[in-house]
Amino acid sequence: MMEWEIVIGLETHAQLRTNSKIFSGSSTAFGAAPNTQANAVDIALPGVLPVLNRAAVECAIRLGLAVGGKIAARSIFARKNYFYPDLPKGYQISQYETPVIAGGSLAIVVGQAGQSYEKTVALTRAHLEEDAGKSLHEDFHGKSGIDLNRAGTPLLEIVTEPDMRSAAEAVAYAKALHALVRWIGICDGNMQEGSFRCDANVSVRPRGSEVLGTRREIKNLNSFRFMQQAIDYEVQWQIATLEDGGRIEQATVLFDPATGETRAMRSKEDAQDYRYFPDPDLLPLEISPDWIARVKADLPELPAEMKARFESEYRLSAYDAAALTAGREICVYFADCVAAAGRENAKLCANWLMGELAARLNKEGREISAAPIPPLQLAALVRRIADATISNKIGKEVFDALWSGEDKDVDAVISDRGLKQISDGGALEALIDGVLAANPKSVEEFRAGKEKAFNALVGQLMKATRGKANPQQVNELLRRKLSDRDVLRPPD
Amino acid sequence: MPLNLDQIERLARLARIEISAADGGETRDRLNDVFALIEQLQAADTRGIEPMAHAFELAQRLREDAVTESDRREAYQAVAPEVEAGLYLVPRVME
Amino acid sequence: MINSSLKELGAALAEKRISSVELATLLIERIEALNPTLNAFITVDREKTLAMARDADRRLGAGLAGPLTGIPLAHKDIFCSEGWLTTCGSKMLANFASPYDAHVVQLMKAAGLVTLGKTNMDEFAMGSSNETSFYGPVKNPWDNTRVPGGSSGGSAAAVAARLTPAATGTDTGGSIRQPAALCGLTGVKPTYGVVSRYGMIAFASSLDQGGPMAKSAEDCALLLSAMSGFDPRDSTSLDRPAEDYRRDLEKPLAGLKIGLPREFFAAGMAADVREAVDEALAEYRRQGAVTVEVSLPSSGLSVPAYYVIAPAEASSNLSRFDGVRYGYRAPEYTDLADMYCKTRAQGFGAEVKRRILIGTYVLSHGYYDAYYLQAQKIRRLIANDFVQAFRHCDIIMGPTTPSTAFALGAKSDDPVEMYLSDIYTIAVNLAGLPGMSIPCGFGGEGGKLPVGLQLIGNYFDEARMLGVAHRYQLATDWHKRMPEEA
């Protein structure tokens, strides 16, 4: 059986968060009545002309800086010519030979905690272009309706090298990019509204081969789940086709979420030839080093920088550091939590955030911005664990109380419910003596070398204290007591 | 090299212009006259010459990001061939 | 009155010797009488015109008038004019009432000019004889069996026949200067970027420039001052201070160095044109100018370079005419692709379709470098030639056209022959320079057909160029001659 290697490259269209369109003064707000935000330029009346929006360019510079790409001092807008009813001019203004951003990369973490790995995805380019309108296929007497409100919305198309080797890698990249564009404020990332859309170029080749297989492009993936499903399906389809002796034809395909399958689109033109040429209505876009410096000064600390800082300063794992910098909201939550709990407790904060809090949010389908426990409360809880007022386990009980909203104050929960940890050596010793006396069988077994019996004794003690005994102290005291008895034990 | 009818028809398809069978030959002949004229360009030595796309070597002027347009749908759609519910209607778009 | 200069008309209006309404009415009546023969206008709308004239009269009465207030003006039908049919000479836009005004139309309104109507033109400005118009050919007022030139043939014929004192035109490869020459008037193509292209239906965006067509350089200077200026809606509009193009009208010619391109005076120019041009140059020398020979070695390739660049841009610019949002839609079709193909086949005329196909070809995969990029490189060589030439002279002169007006139908079946009518004008557009044509005599059988002298200025040197033309017009009266029927 041949082993196959999967090769994936992604092209992402991120709608830029500008007030007005890329080449006209129409609003870009989503959801207006059809064609009410399509002005003379957007509907391409005869005689109208485009003028470039400064904010769209600035978004491109931000991305270029964030991915370490080369920001072109001079880039050119070109016309991509094709006929389609949602493309009013009969051409799309885009960038072709000289894009605004060349190169750059994005670091991703792939897989689950404990078995994750890091990878860097190289970017080919990012270029500015205009979005098309929308064709609505509801029945207008067998016709389609065209809404040009979206036409002219600024897009940044971000293209990767064919660097990804699995659907999981592709999804990890898409998520990282999604987080990044929101982080730097250039895109709202709303995938339902189409603000962030991915096309995946997928091919397979025999492992070890240097030659790329023929690719098929899966268009318009607007959720991470669909991306995973679509690529998985496409890959198995391509492998099955090749193993059956078939050939892959280059094609554009659509993913049907209902069937979970991909299918080839009817091609827009029998022979595609876009006849790109520099747009004579627009002059070369020049970006000065000054402008880049101003944008740079205005940029927040980037997720990659923060991730590195979390790993080195807080000793977080790469997986945790990546997860905590996967979005602005979680990162801000973490930062606030650490600020209140103390830097020395950062790791514990991360554990609680990634553990109990994340699990609860996930279970209830909530975003971190809607978490019922604010970062300062979680920090207070972490501090009480760190200073041994309560154990980690009791911490969960406190967490529950905070989550339900019954209580707001961590110390009040601890004192009201008597959750304070028993760390008094004398008291614990007395309790241990009682447990040993009541469980001679376990003591015997332990002496016989069964380590399990030790845990049973700890369990008994915890039961007796309703979990409040300081686990570390219990461990130490119990071992000492048991070894003391060893001394007393008569020789065999 | 003169273009044949198939090549002319391919251009016409790209340009979305129907050419009737009756007009094909005439169209081809007139176009080939023009192609012969522009073929003269091939003789010129342009090594090292930068292409000139614009009259002036200027940079693109940028617009401030402000919404300056109001809704004029009614006026714009008054000249449209077919509209309904604010949408431009076209024969069904297939994907 | 019909042969008065704009200055004289302005004075008559200011002194209330005539009202704008009277002037407009007089011209509308002339149009009604002569247009059935000449076919210079596509649209005349008496009510709209008179409403504007009444408004102008109010401004004149209130002392709020400028030098052009109340003077009638015809717009080439390529300029979008709100509420007016704006057809661009095409069936494609035969039903298109523009919902907005071109920048030029706005400026002319603001200056108080009264729109007299929309003039006929070659379809989408593609032609040199005004025979490609969906609305039929325009006749040359000097000889109704001959073409007026194109593509601004309607504007040229209207001014020549004194149906309007002035008109707007556009010039992509000679479309103002060539018809001005063939109809015996003065027409100016400004430096690229001086007149906004916003609302001027695009033919070849990197070459198109609007400009005035009138009887004299002085009239054109006045009009250009009104129609030029920075427009933020056109990215190629030049952000320069406003100019009064009349400022050099009185400047003497002594010491002026006139460059005569060797290539323009080689074989190909008709003898009658040569004679008139030589005589005009002699007049300049009499006024103290000197002539020097200059060379434009690459200008011989200007026609083929132009017929790559202009159709390439046009093929893309005209893609918006698809029957979806405005304009013509074929009455019958089977599906979307068929709707496009039939709409465009029926809505465009033969020459427009030809140029779209040429443009599609030169931009298509595998041909782009050989044709489009090569043409752009030659464009650079041509522009460089002018830079070199202007090191040796202040202004360049030569013929505007190789011959006087040709007969209707003479070249309409031979596109290449037609394209060569613009052999002297095209290089100016490729370089982006200002150029103009002024009447300099007559030729043809019986000496009844006007000949044009072309003046080419350096970048932004319109004022000086107009001054040089004006000094000639002070000494000659060719520009005052009217065709007999007028």
Side-chain angles (χ1 to χ4, degrees):
Chain A
M1 198 73 169
M2 190 183 286
E3 238 200 292
W4 296 94
E5 182 178 46
I6 302 160
V7 178
I8 303 164
L10 287 186
E11 291 170 18
T12 306
H13 289 92
Q15 278 185 354
L16 301 175
R17 275 182 59 185
T18 56
N19 301 313
S20 64
K21 292 186 177 176
I22 186 166
F23 296 118
S24 86
S26 295
S27 170
T28 54
F30 182 82
N35 291 306
T36 55
Q37 286 177 181
N39 79 341
V41 174
D42 309 322
I43 67 170
L45 283 183
V48 299
L49 296 168
V51 185
L52 183 57
N53 183 343
R54 176 187 303 278
V57 179
E58 196 144 315
C59 288
I61 299 173
R62 287 173 88 86
L63 182 93
L65 289 167
V67 299
K70 189 172 177 297
I71 297 160
R74 192 168 179 276
S75 63
I76 306 287
F77 284 93
R79 294 184 181 178
K80 178 182 184 179
N81 294 285
Y82 66 94
F83 287 88
Y84 210 65
D86 63 14
L87 189 72
K89 295 186 294 297
Y91 58 85
Q92 179 194 31
I93 305 178
S94 181
Q95 295 191 301
Y96 185 52
E97 282 180 337
T98 42
V100 62
I101 309 291
S105 64
L106 196 60
I108 59 171
V109 175
V110 192
Q112 297 304 309
Q115 48 197 6
S116 65
Y117 60 96
E118 290 183 81
K119 175 168 181 137
T120 300
V121 176
L123 302 183
T124 313
R125 60 186 278 160
H127 65 254
L128 286 163
E129 62 183 27
E130 56 181 343
D131 210 341
K134 281 182 184 165
S135 306
L136 305 174
H137 306 299
E138 287 100 81
D139 195 28
F140 293 101
H141 340 289
K143 296 173 181 172
S144 291
I146 307 297
D147 176 10
L148 298 174
N149 280 349
R150 198 180 68 175
T153 299
L155 293 177
L156 195 60
E157 178 173 341
I158 304 151
V159 184
T160 74
E161 292 291 308
D163 273 3
M164 287 150 283
R165 293 290 174 272
S166 65
E169 288 187 4
V171 170
Y173 163 80
K175 282 183 173 171
L177 182 64
H178 184 252
L180 181 67
V181 294
R182 291 166 65 223
W183 189 289
I184 60 175
I186 66 169
C187 172
D188 69 16
N190 190 324
M191 296 177 81
Q192 281 83 48
E193 291 177 6
S195 302
F196 187 89
R197 325 192 283 269
C198 296
D199 303 335
N201 285 298
V202 179
S203 64
V204 298
R205 62 181 172 190
R207 191 167 297 283
S209 165
E210 291 292 307
V211 191
L212 289 173
T214 304
R215 65 189 161 85
R216 302 214 308 166
E217 183 181 19
I218 314 172
K219 276 276 181 203
N220 273 331
L221 295 165
N222 61 1
S223 92
F224 299 126
R225 194 161 55 87
F226 291 164
M227 178 182 289
Q228 176 86 42
Q229 291 173 2
I231 295 174
D232 283 343
Y233 177 86
E234 178 65 21
V235 164
Q236 63 86 14
W237 181 87
Q238 288 190 18
I239 292 174
T241 302
L242 291 169
E243 288 184 343
D244 283 354
R247 278 184 54 212
I248 305 295
E249 304 271 351
Q250 191 164 335
T252 301
V253 304
L254 287 177
F255 174 67
D256 182 350
T259 61
E261 295 179 358
T262 54
R263 63 174 170 85
M265 274 173 83
R266 262 176 56 139
S267 76
K268 281 185 186 174
E269 288 200 5
D270 33 345
Q272 208 60 279
D273 185 342
Y274 291 124
R275 290 157 283 138
Y276 282 100
F277 75 109
D279 192 329
D281 288 331
L282 292 162
L283 297 158
L285 167 62
E286 287 184 5
I287 299 175
S288 67
D290 260 18
W291 191 7
I292 297 172
R294 283 201 304 277
V295 175
K296 192 170 190 171
D298 191 39
L299 216 52
E301 189 183 8
L302 295 170
E305 295 164 3
M306 260 188 192
K307 174 175 172 284
R309 193 157 61 77
F310 289 175
E311 287 176 62
S312 63
E313 284 184 24
Y314 300 158
R315 300 259 157 252
L316 300 191
S317 68
Y319 180 86
D320 286 355
L324 291 171
T325 52
R328 196 122 185 90
E329 292 80 8
I330 189 168
C331 191
V332 166
Y333 190 104
F334 177 65
D336 289 351
C337 191
V338 170
R343 291 164 51 116
E344 65 282 7
N345 295 322
K347 172 86 179 148
L348 198 52
C349 290
N351 291 347
W352 274 87
L353 222 173
M354 301 283 300
E356 201 61 23
L357 186 71
R360 240 8 133 71
L361 290 172
N362 194 33
K363 193 173 156 200
E364 297 185 12
R366 296 204 210 191
E367 293 297 317
I368 189 143
S369 49
I373 305 180
L376 293 189
Q377 276 183 23
L378 190 69
L381 174 61
V382 164
R383 286 177 77 104
R384 288 296 163 258
I385 294 166
D387 68 12
T389 304
I390 54 171
S391 67
N392 212 48
K393 198 168 170 210
I394 289 295
K396 289 191 180 151
E397 199 175 328
V398 178
F399 183 93
D400 283 342
L402 297 173
W403 185 274
S404 69
E406 287 166 42
D407 289 286
K408 302 262 176 251
D409 186 87
V410 170
D411 288 339
V413 176
I414 295 170
S415 65
D416 292 357
R417 303 196 180 188
L419 298 176
K420 193 167 179 321
Q421 191 158 250
I422 304 167
S423 305
D424 176 339
L428 280 178
E429 249 181 281
L431 285 163
I432 288 169
D433 287 342
V435 168
L436 293 179
N439 296 283
K441 195 161 172 257
S442 294
V443 174
E444 280 306 312
E445 282 173 7
F446 178 75
R447 283 178 178 159
K450 281 195 183 164
E451 187 63 25
K452 252 187 167 171
F454 182 82
N455 294 338
L457 289 168
V458 171
Q460 285 302 318
L461 189 89
M462 283 298 175
K463 201 171 163 189
T465 60
R466 287 178 37 241
K468 289 181 294 181
N470 181 323
Q472 208 182 331
Q473 268 181 308
V474 168
N475 257 300
E476 281 168 24
L477 283 172
L478 189 58
R479 285 208 186 269
R480 206 167 68 218
K481 290 260 173 194
L482 286 167
S483 57
D484 281 352
R485 290 196 174 203
D486 282 348
V487 175
L488 295 173
R489 201 176 59 169
D492 293 314
Chain B
M1 242 212 341
L3 271 62
N4 60 34
L5 215 47
D6 282 351
Q7 291 168 304
I8 302 289
E9 277 166 2
R10 181 177 171 275
L11 290 178
R13 270 199 306 279
L14 271 177
R16 294 289 187 274
I17 292 173
E18 185 180 74
I19 295 183
S20 70
D23 294 346
E26 169 75 9
T27 303
R28 178 200 54 206
D29 294 347
R30 292 291 78 79
L31 284 173
N32 280 328
D33 291 346
V34 181
F35 293 144
L37 169 77
I38 64 180
E39 203 58 36
Q40 290 174 26
L41 297 177
Q42 303 312 316
D45 181 359
T46 54
R47 277 172 298 180
I49 305 296
E50 270 295 296
M52 179 173 166
H54 298 280
F56 295 104
E57 305 286 321
L58 295 173
Q60 174 63 32
R61 191 167 11 86
L62 300 173
R63 212 185 80 240
E64 293 312 313
D65 180 25
V67 176
T68 54
E69 299 290 326
S70 49
D71 171 22
R72 290 198 63 204
R73 184 175 80 183
E74 203 178 324
Y76 294 154
Q77 293 196 338
V79 293
E82 196 177 1
V83 289
E84 189 174 312
L87 297 158
Y88 296 99
L89 292 196
V90 296
R92 196 162 179 80
V93 177
M94 305 293 251
E95 276 182 337
Chain C
M1 190 59 71
I2 59 164
N3 207 25
S4 305
S5 71
L6 297 189
K7 205 159 118 184
E8 288 160 354
L9 287 175
L13 286 161
E15 292 158 17
K16 310 284 188 303
R17 281 184 274 124
I18 192 167
S19 72
S20 180
V21 168
E22 285 163 347
L23 189 54
T25 306
L26 170 81
L27 292 169
I28 289 169
E29 279 163 10
R30 282 186 63 77
I31 293 168
E32 282 168 355
L34 294 174
N35 199 54
T37 312
L38 295 173
N39 198 24
F41 281 84
I42 293 174
T43 304
V44 178
D45 187 327
R46 180 187 281 261
E47 286 317 307
K48 280 201 183 73
T49 300
L50 292 182
M52 287 177 85
R54 279 192 291 273
D55 196 44
D57 281 333
R58 272 192 292 275
R59 285 163 73 176
L60 283 156
L64 299 168
L68 294 169
T69 304
I71 296 177
L73 171 81
H75 280 298
K76 184 176 180 178
D77 211 18
I78 199 168
F79 288 101
C80 286
S81 320
E82 189 169 348
W84 290 75
L85 212 54
T86 300
T87 71
C88 223
S90 181
K91 180 178 178 182
M92 191 58 96
L93 289 177
N95 60 1
F96 180 67
S98 175
Y100 79 107
D101 273 339
H103 189 69
V104 163
V105 172
Q106 276 180 342
L107 290 177
M108 292 313 215
K109 267 189 191 170
L113 287 150
V114 173
T115 305
L116 202 49
K118 306 293 294 287
T119 59
N120 204 343
M121 56 182 284
D122 277 303
E123 184 180 7
F124 285 104
M126 297 178 191
S128 308
S129 66
N130 218 116
E131 292 167 295
T132 71
S133 170
F134 172 63
Y135 296 90
V138 177
K139 311 281 171 54
N140 189 319
W142 295 92
D143 178 346
N144 289 343
T145 68
R146 292 178 184 271
V147 304
S151 65
S152 311
S155 287
V159 176
R162 305 309 190 242
L163 305 184
T164 178
T168 55
T170 61
D171 190 316
T172 306
S175 283
I176 287 175
R177 290 160 291 157
Q178 187 253 17
L182 301 193
C183 289
L185 40 129
T186 304
V188 179
K189 179 207 102 73
T191 304
Y192 182 85
V194 162
V195 170
S196 168
R197 294 185 297 114
Y198 194 83
M200 200 176 99
I201 298 175
F203 161 18
S205 313
S206 78
L207 305 168
D208 295 342
Q209 226 355 241
M213 302 175 82
K215 293 184 284 289
S216 68
E218 186 185 34
D219 287 359
C220 284
L222 201 56
L223 291 164
L224 184 58
S225 301
M227 76 192 284
S228 61
F230 175 59
D231 177 9
R233 294 170 302 179
D234 173 359
S235 295
T236 61
S237 170
L238 297 164
D239 193 357
R240 311 177 84 246
E243 282 191 57
D244 182 350
Y245 291 102
R246 292 171 299 180
R247 67 176 186 271
D248 285 343
L249 288 183
E250 305 307 325
K251 204 170 169 181
L253 296 176
L256 181 79
K257 271 174 140 174
I258 300 171
L260 306 178
R262 190 185 306 145
E263 295 76 9
F264 285 15
F265 289 85
M269 198 191 327
D272 51 356
V273 172
R274 170 109 212 188
E275 201 178 316
V277 168
D278 282 346
E279 180 46 41
L281 295 171
E283 170 57 30
Y284 273 107
R285 285 190 208 96
R286 280 196 287 279
Q287 292 200 34
V290 294
T291 55
V292 294
E293 190 183 81
V294 294
S295 179
L296 303 170
S298 297
S299 61
L301 289 172
S302 59
V303 172
Y306 177 88
Y307 279 95
V308 169
I309 293 169
E313 294 182 8
S315 70
S316 178
N317 284 335
L318 270 58
S319 291
R320 69 188 58 199
F321 302 104
D322 59 4
V324 175
R325 297 163 314 285
Y326 46 77
Y328 180 78
R329 179 188 283 196
E332 284 172 23
Y333 42 82
T334 57
D335 59 12
L336 180 66
D338 194 47
M339 191 274 274
Y340 282 147
C341 292
K342 287 204 163 63
T343 293
R344 291 165 60 80
Q346 295 163 17
F348 291 138
E351 179 62 20
V352 170
K353 286 189 268 193
R354 189 146 52 227
R355 296 206 196 180
I356 290 174
L357 293 175
I358 296 165
T360 303
Y361 175 63
V362 299
L363 290 176
S364 64
H365 188 72
Y367 298 97
Y368 178 83
D369 287 5
Y371 293 109
Y372 189 72
L373 222 49
Q374 175 74 348
Q376 284 198 328
K377 289 175 184 172
I378 287 161
R379 182 177 182 184
R380 168 95 50 204
L381 293 176
I382 289 166
N384 288 347
D385 283 355
F386 280 107
V387 171
Q388 284 298 326
F390 278 115
R391 294 207 170 116
H392 308 289
C393 62
D394 305 310
I395 195 163
I396 289 171
M397 290 190 194
T400 306
T401 60
S403 68
T404 54
F406 46 90
L408 283 157
K411 300 182 181 182
S412 47
D413 291 335
D414 187 344
V416 172
E417 188 60 28
M418 186 71 87
Y419 298 169
L420 294 171
S421 331
D422 293 329
I423 193 157
Y424 301 126
T425 48
I426 277 176
V428 174
N429 300 78
L430 290 170
L433 289 163
M436 65 187 292
S437 182
I438 54 173
C440 69
F442 286 85
E445 258 176 78
K448 287 179 177 164
L449 296 172
V451 174
L453 174 73
Q454 183 175 212
L455 283 65
I456 303 168
N458 210 335
Y459 296 106
F460 309 115
D461 225 2
E462 283 86 351
R464 180 70 179 129
M465 181 177 78
L466 284 158
V468 170
H470 180 65
R471 299 300 293 192
Y472 176 80
Q473 290 181 334
L474 287 177
T476 59
D477 70 349
W478 304 116
H479 63 291
K480 291 184 179 157
R481 305 276 184 95
M482 286 192 288
E484 276 167 28
E485 291 147 66

